[in-house]
């Protein structure tokens, strides 16, 4: 990644919103179908078709030879879990990460879904991680530094007894999935990157119940917590704007579906 920031014009932001809308809808469709008994590979197949039906391209498939549309990471898997024959169980927490390309622009978002009845411990992890993302987004405004986002996320996680994963970071996004600057979920000394209107970033806290240490599975993709504790991951693509960040992706479709599902139980 070179250290050039590609600021987006008004028209480019509109295109990115189209991409973001498809990612958001795709994750809404995940919310619709994810349940006890479904294989993660079947979710992936369904969403690949869904994205193509919306005239977009799955962004992860083929990226560094990644073979699937989604990354699906269960419980102690942090990110980059590969869709497989794993059958989702009651009590799992399942992170689903999705990216698309539409008209040359990427959007990237992730959500950790609670499956059936999950423990209080897991419920709190999801709540705090989502709050971390929210606090990060609140700081994605022109005049702030990237480190204001990092600090807000790290402080909220650690104040609640959790750890942030430091091996992976959020990122700029646009005509490339990963652009400068990095958006760490923790304070990095000696780094100051100021933000202004036109910068688009993916903010993506990865928070563990136990230690923040992780390892790479020998499948070459999946990243897991070293201590086996559960991990959550939420991600939004946002436009740094004057006064208030502008969401490029959103959780509205997901939240609508999850609410409906609750009433049907
Ligand atoms: N969504 C990941 C990110 O935010 C990228 C996954 S790329 C893949 O950086 F190839 F691993 F799928
Ligand atoms: Co990302």
């Amino acid at each position: 990644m070179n250290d050039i920031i590609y600021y987006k014009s008004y028209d480019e932001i509109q295109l990115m919103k189209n991409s973001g809308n498809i990612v958001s809808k795709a994750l809404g469709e995940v919310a619709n179908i994810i349940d006890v008994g479904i294989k993660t590979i079947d979710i992936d197949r369904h969403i690949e078709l869904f994205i193509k039906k919306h005239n977009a391209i799955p962004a992860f498939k083929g990226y560094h030879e990644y073979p699937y549309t989604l990354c699906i990471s269960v419980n102690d898997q942090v990110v980059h879990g590969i869709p497989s024959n794993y059958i989702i169980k009651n009590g799992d927490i399942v992170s689903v990460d999705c990216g698309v390309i539409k008209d040359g622009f990427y959007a990237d978002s992730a959500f950790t879904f609670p499956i059936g009845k999950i423990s209080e411990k897991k419920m709190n992890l999801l709540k705090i991680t989502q709050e971390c993302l929210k606090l990060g987004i609140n700081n994605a405004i022109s005049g702030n530094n990237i480190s204001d986002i990092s600090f807000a996320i790290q402080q909220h996680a650690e104040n609640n007894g959790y750890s942030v994963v430091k091996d992976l970071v959020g990122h700029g996004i646009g005509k490339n999935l990963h652009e400068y600057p990095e958006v760490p979920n923790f304070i990095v000394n000696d780094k100051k990157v100021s933000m202004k209107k036109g910068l688009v970033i993916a903010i993506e806290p990865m928070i563990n119940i136990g230690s923040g240490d992780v390892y790479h599975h020998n499948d070459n993709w999946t990243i897991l917590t070293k201590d086996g504790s559960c991990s959550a991951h939420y991600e939004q693509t946002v436009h740094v704007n004057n006064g208030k960040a502008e969401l490029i992706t959103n959780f509205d479709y997901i939240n609508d579906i999850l609410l409906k599902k609750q009433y049907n139980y």
Side-chain angles (χ1 to χ4, degrees):
M1 196 182 333
N2 60 32
D3 58 357
I4 297 166
I5 295 183
Y6 299 105
Y7 295 98
K8 279 77 184 174
S9 67
Y10 177 85
D11 289 345
E12 290 175 327
I13 295 291
Q14 300 314 307
L15 292 178
M16 291 199 75
K17 282 185 184 170
N18 293 341
S19 310
N21 198 244
I22 297 171
V23 172
S24 306
K25 277 187 183 154
L27 285 177
E29 183 65 7
V30 173
N32 218 350
I33 63 173
I34 197 166
D35 214 340
V36 173
I38 189 168
K39 287 181 186 166
T40 58
I41 186 78
D42 291 332
I43 299 174
D44 187 86
R45 284 204 190 98
H46 183 77
I47 299 302
E48 179 175 353
L49 293 178
F50 184 93
I51 290 169
K52 288 176 175 166
K53 254 198 314 218
H54 285 78
N55 298 312
I57 305 165
F60 300 164
K61 200 169 179 171
Y63 183 82
H64 291 287
E65 289 169 36
Y66 185 74
Y68 294 104
T69 292
L70 303 173
C71 296
I72 305 183
S73 312
V74 183
N75 296 329
D76 62 330
Q77 299 177 345
V78 179
V79 286
H80 301 170
I82 303 179
S84 70
N85 285 321
Y86 177 80
I87 298 169
I88 292 175
K89 292 178 180 53
N90 183 46
D92 282 347
I93 55 171
V94 182
S95 307
V96 180
D97 194 340
C98 180
V100 309
I101 316 168
K102 166 93 177 157
D103 298 327
F105 283 94
Y106 285 79
D108 188 6
S109 181
F111 193 92
T112 304
F113 295 91
I115 306 298
K117 193 161 171 47
I118 69 170
S119 67
E120 291 281 325
K121 227 177 125 176
K122 286 180 174 177
M123 194 60 104
N124 195 57
L125 173 69
L126 300 194
K127 174 173 166 275
I128 299 298
T129 307
Q130 223 174 322
E131 287 170 2
C132 284
L133 174 57
K134 194 89 210 195
L135 290 166
I137 292 170
N138 289 346
N139 278 283
I141 48 175
S142 72
N144 267 5
N145 293 317
I146 291 286
S147 59
D148 292 314
I149 299 172
S150 311
F151 180 79
I153 292 171
Q154 181 173 26
Q155 178 177 253
H156 192 58
E158 292 179 355
N159 280 348
N160 283 280
Y162 297 140
S163 309
V164 304
V165 174
K166 298 185 175 173
D167 284 40
L168 299 128
V169 293
H171 48 94
I173 180 167
K175 288 184 181 170
N176 309 285
L177 178 57
H178 296 134
E179 293 183 357
Y180 186 80
E182 293 192 339
V183 183
N185 301 305
F186 52 94
I187 285 292
V188 184
N189 289 329
D190 79 22
K191 262 255 165 94
K192 259 216 179 342
V193 180
S194 83
M195 298 184 285
K196 64 176 201 198
K197 189 178 171 72
L199 171 65
V200 180
I201 52 178
I203 304 176
E204 47 179 321
M206 290 151 266
I207 308 294
N208 298 353
I209 290 181
S211 108
D213 293 348
V214 297
Y215 72 96
H216 258 91
H217 192 271
N218 61 19
D219 66 14
N220 274 326
W221 283 104
T222 314
I223 292 171
L224 299 104
T225 64
K226 254 189 197 158
D227 62 7
S229 70
C230 279
S231 184
H233 177 217
Y234 291 87
E235 175 176 24
Q236 299 275 30
T237 299
V238 308
H239 170 215
V240 172
N241 212 338
N242 298 328
K244 192 175 189 301
E246 182 179 20
L247 288 178
I248 300 293
T249 56
N250 67 75
F251 294 151
D252 296 349
Y253 300 102
I254 296 176
N255 287 329
D256 271 5
I257 300 279
L258 293 186
L259 215 64
K260 274 186 201 131
K261 273 189 164 177
Q262 239 170 24
Y263 283 122
N264 289 336
Y265 275 134

